[in-house]
Each structure stands twice: as structure tokens, then as C-alpha cells.
Amino acid sequence: MAAGKPYHHGYLRAALLDASLALIRKEGLHGFTLREVARRAGVSHAAPYRHFRDKNDLLAAIAEDGFNRFTAKMREAASKGDSPLERLQMAGIAYVQFGLDRPEEFEVMFSVELDPHIHLSARAAADASFESLLALVVDCQRAGLLPRYEPLTAARIAWAHVHGITELARRRQFGFKTRKEIVDFASTATAALLTGIAD
């Protein structure tokens, strides 16, 4: 599309988000500018301001979309578990898989500061992700599992565990050659964690 040619209003936002992710994929967040996003989307330099106040506003929108997808994936995975502990583990594995499958979104989600007074819906989407994890921990404790820690602490431990696995895997620090190896390791590591905090 020629630069400056207008998108239908309903598609401009999606086009800008797609162009943003493509730019992050190539340059990382350090090379992210609204001007370059507009160029990649084939629109005028002023076009992004029809939807976003500034660069941070656009990044917050990427994070919001990412967290919504992220939460849906964890809930979908958890729903396939046969027990509270298995549902928690499957959500943790889905966490790792999301980071592997959507690395640009994942980077934005956990790199951009979401101002709760400005980016209300993005902050709410981020909070909903953690609340889903916390709810799974609470379900375990109601079933007499994971009694060692109070729910918030147990959820934070689980979060730190799977986030660390995801980041190390994304940065190729484990030495695994395939996605399956990473996911198999995530399954082993989450099982080990849950055994450790179940006492």
C-alpha cells in the first residue's frame, strides 16, 4: 500500500499493531518508533495518532492484546487437566509455549510499564493473567494441595518459575535444539516445582 493511502478506520489499528510486531521482530524494542511503524504500515506519519497518543500507548495496546491471548491460552490448557494440580501445571506449560510462539508480544508484555491511570484496559488485562494463575493455586489449596504457602506467595513462586524458564528458553540458554525439548523440560520442571512446594 502506498504511503499516505488511508486505511478503513476499522483496519488501521490492526495494521499498526501488525507493523509494530514486525518491527520489534527485526529491530527489538530499541529500534521502535511511531514513524517507522507508520512507514511499515504504508500510512502517513500522522496516522498512528488517530488511535494512539504516543509510542507507549501503542506498546500498551500490543501488551493488552497479548495478555488477553495469553490468559485465554492458559485457561484453555488448564481446562484439560483432570485435577487441580494438573490444571496448574498445564497452565504453566502453556505460559512457556506462549512465550516461544509469540516472542515479540511476550517481550512487550513484560517490558513495557503499564500506567494504571492511563493504560487502564492494558493493566486490567495483565492483572487478569496473574489472577488466573492465582485462582488455580486457590483451587489446589481448596483440594488440600500446596498448603505450605499462602496463595499469593505460591502463585508468585509458580509465576517466577515458569517466567524464568520462558526467558531462558527464548534466549537459547538451555542448549535445546527443538521446541519439543523445551516443552518437555517445562513439563518436568513444573512437576518438580509443584512437588517441592506441596510439602
Side-chain angles (χ1 to χ4, degrees):
M1 178 174 289
K5 183 177 179 180
Y7 274 90
H8 182 278
H9 184 75
Y11 297 111
L12 175 58
R13 183 182 186 278
L16 293 169
L17 293 177
D18 287 346
S20 297
L21 290 171
L23 176 59
I24 294 167
R25 188 176 305 121
K26 183 176 181 183
E27 304 290 345
L29 283 173
H30 67 277
F32 188 88
T33 66
L34 281 182
R35 179 176 289 268
E36 181 59 19
V37 168
R39 189 190 71 77
R40 284 174 171 266
V43 298
S44 72
H45 295 156
Y49 295 98
R50 297 177 197 170
H51 286 279
F52 308 106
R53 287 183 293 270
D54 52 26
K55 179 178 80 171
N56 288 338
D57 205 33
L58 175 51
L59 290 171
I62 293 171
E64 180 179 351
D65 285 357
F67 275 116
N68 287 334
R69 272 190 280 269
F70 183 53
T71 302
K73 288 291 185 185
M74 286 195 294
R75 288 176 177 169
E76 179 186 6
S79 71
K80 298 174 183 175
D82 293 327
S83 69
L85 207 59
E86 187 175 325
R87 287 192 282 275
L88 178 58
Q89 183 187 13
M90 293 181 81
I93 295 169
Y95 189 116
V96 176
Q97 291 173 320
F98 184 93
L100 297 176
D101 295 340
R102 305 187 74 95
E104 295 80 26
E105 274 182 320
F106 191 86
E107 181 177 1
V108 173
M109 289 158 56
F110 293 102
S111 297
V112 175
E113 184 174 353
L114 300 174
D115 188 321
H117 302 294
I118 298 174
H119 308 124
L120 302 179
S121 57
R123 183 70 262 168
D127 291 344
S129 289
F130 182 74
E131 286 162 9
S132 293
L133 177 61
L134 179 59
L136 291 168
V137 169
V138 170
D139 286 345
C140 287
Q141 295 193 335
R142 285 175 178 162
L145 305 165
L146 308 182
R148 186 173 180 181
Y149 301 100
E150 55 89 21
L152 182 59
T153 297
R156 285 172 172 163
I157 291 169
W159 179 25
H161 192 69
V162 292
H163 192 83
I165 293 169
T166 308
E167 284 294 345
L168 287 167
R170 288 179 62 237
R171 299 176 193 282
R172 303 173 189 262
Q173 295 299 305
F174 286 128
F176 296 132
K177 296 187 181 349
T178 67
R179 183 182 185 279
K180 183 179 184 304
E181 288 180 290
I182 296 169
V183 174
D184 286 348
F185 173 75
S187 179
T188 299
T190 50
L193 170 71
L194 294 177
T195 299
I197 66 174
D199 297 335

